[in-house]
Amino acid sequence: MKKGLVLEGGAMRGLWTAGVTDVMMEHDVWPDALIGVSAGAAFGCNLKSRQIGRAIRYNTRFANDSRYSGLKSLMTSGDYFNAQFGYHVVPYEYDIFDTAAFEQNPMTFTVVCTDVETGKAVYHDMDHVDYDELEWLRASASMPLASKVVHVQGRKLLDGGVSDSIPLEYFERQGITRNVVILTQPLGYQKEHNKLMPLMRMALRKYPHFLRALDQRHLMYNRQLEYVAEAERQGRCLVIRPDEKIPIGHISHDAAQMRLVYEQGRKAGEQHIDRIIAFYENK
């Protein structure tokens, strides 16, 4: 029975998830397959490379560095989180990404993106690290309005959360049937219609299928919450979620706030690690 780990996105809320996954690594708990969406992919890759603490380390280090993120980057490059510096400089020069460990780890690592021309999810298995593979990772976490469309291997891509925010059903279809799902919203949360749709329609008018997916995203997301809840009731998955709203926005330059969120995730990881181990061992 294959053990899976499903990581939803949530931009900087993903640091809460990184806290949980760091605790999993410290307790030597490894899934057979991981699927990440947006920040779930961008931070979750550190689990495959077995680098505890890397996500919180580089985010706090560069929290106020204009080369990494900010309005200057958005105005000059079209990306709030600088594409070149964040994905192609930091991992090679400042906080080294262990590409050898990533590639040697047999864990399947799947990145979810959205094809802006079709509005459909694209699932990409990332088993090595090079420029294009890191662009898949960047595309998954590229939020509309805050990012330009990412061109990768003939596709035009943006945020995977637009088309498949919580890809538990996809993993189950792949035969991965024992899944831990880490969410970044508390129990009872329901997504509402995006209030920025008028701006989205102006900025992304060339991509009507993507706009339709954006317009209906809240419906898709809430249906997925129902699917996860039913899977949890049937014992097919174990859900780890925050007890209350994570105290950080999509974008933050406050290193102390980032550490607080990360430590809250670590606390949740320690609280639930025995449940995770027992679930994976099917006890």
Side-chain angles (χ1 to χ4, degrees):
M1 184 178 294
K2 286 188 177 181
K3 300 176 293 185
L5 181 62
V6 179
L7 306 181
E8 81 157 315
M12 299 310 292
R13 295 197 309 273
L15 290 174
W16 187 91
T17 302
V20 178
T21 56
D22 278 356
V23 170
M24 290 175 64
M25 287 193 275
E26 289 168 359
H27 285 79
D28 203 27
V29 177
W30 307 98
D32 300 310
L34 186 161
I35 188 166
V37 183
S38 193
F43 300 159
C45 64
N46 296 297
L47 193 145
K48 184 170 167 66
S49 65
R50 302 189 177 216
Q51 290 180 274
I52 298 169
R54 183 171 178 271
I56 186 61
R57 190 170 60 238
Y58 72 75
N59 274 285
T60 52
R61 177 179 178 181
F62 296 106
N64 290 290
D65 193 322
S66 62
R67 294 173 299 170
Y68 184 66
S69 66
L71 292 176
K72 180 180 178 181
S73 176
L74 181 63
M75 292 173 66
T76 57
S77 72
D79 292 296
Y80 190 91
F81 292 93
N82 188 274
Q84 182 62 26
F85 187 78
Y87 287 88
H88 302 291
V89 175
V90 169
Y92 290 104
E93 298 183 19
Y94 291 100
D95 200 313
I96 308 303
F97 186 65
D98 193 337
T99 58
F102 182 95
E103 293 171 0
Q104 291 165 11
N105 189 337
M107 177 194 306
T108 302
F109 180 70
T110 304
V111 175
V112 184
C113 302
T114 303
D115 187 314
V116 298
E117 294 185 314
T118 66
K120 302 294 185 182
V122 180
Y123 306 92
H124 177 75
D125 289 344
M126 184 175 165
D127 59 6
H128 66 284
V129 181
D130 59 21
Y131 189 92
D132 277 355
E133 293 301 299
L134 291 173
E135 286 292 276
W136 278 98
L137 204 61
R138 179 169 78 89
S140 181
S142 290
M143 298 179 291
L145 296 184
S147 310
K148 293 185 300 185
V149 172
V150 182
H151 296 250
V152 189
Q153 298 174 339
R155 290 185 179 272
K156 298 177 182 179
L157 305 170
L158 279 175
D159 184 358
V162 172
S163 54
D164 194 350
S165 297
I166 312 170
L168 173 62
E169 185 176 6
Y170 172 80
F171 244 20
E172 289 185 334
R173 291 201 305 267
Q174 308 313 302
I176 303 163
T177 55
R178 196 128 192 99
N179 290 290
V180 172
V181 180
I182 302 182
L183 303 179
T184 58
Q185 296 286 6
L187 184 65
Y189 172 81
Q190 289 282 288
K191 186 175 285 295
E192 298 179 354
H193 187 255
N194 194 326
K195 296 177 181 178
L196 295 178
M197 277 309 301
L199 284 176
M200 301 280 192
R201 291 190 178 96
M202 291 176 58
L204 296 159
R205 57 189 176 277
K206 292 167 55 178
Y207 305 111
H209 296 294
F210 184 71
L211 284 172
R212 187 175 302 112
L214 274 169
D215 196 39
Q216 298 178 356
R217 183 183 180 184
H218 62 300
L219 303 176
M220 174 272 295
Y221 184 89
N222 294 335
R223 283 195 299 269
Q224 290 191 324
L225 286 178
E226 292 175 5
Y227 185 92
V228 169
E230 181 59 27
E232 186 176 28
R233 283 192 291 269
Q234 294 180 8
R236 303 199 319 267
C237 76
L238 172 66
V239 180
I240 308 298
R241 56 165 64 86
D243 292 330
E244 55 189 16
K245 183 178 179 180
I246 296 172
I248 199 167
H250 278 75
I251 293 168
S252 175
H253 297 281
D254 186 334
Q257 185 183 44
M258 293 177 187
R259 291 190 191 96
L260 171 65
V261 167
Y262 171 75
E263 290 299 330
Q264 288 180 344
R266 286 190 57 85
K267 183 177 179 181
E270 293 288 0
Q271 178 184 348
H272 294 290
I273 191 63
D274 289 341
R275 295 177 64 220
I276 294 171
I277 292 170
F279 180 78
Y280 274 157
E281 292 177 353
N282 198 19
K283 292 182 179 178

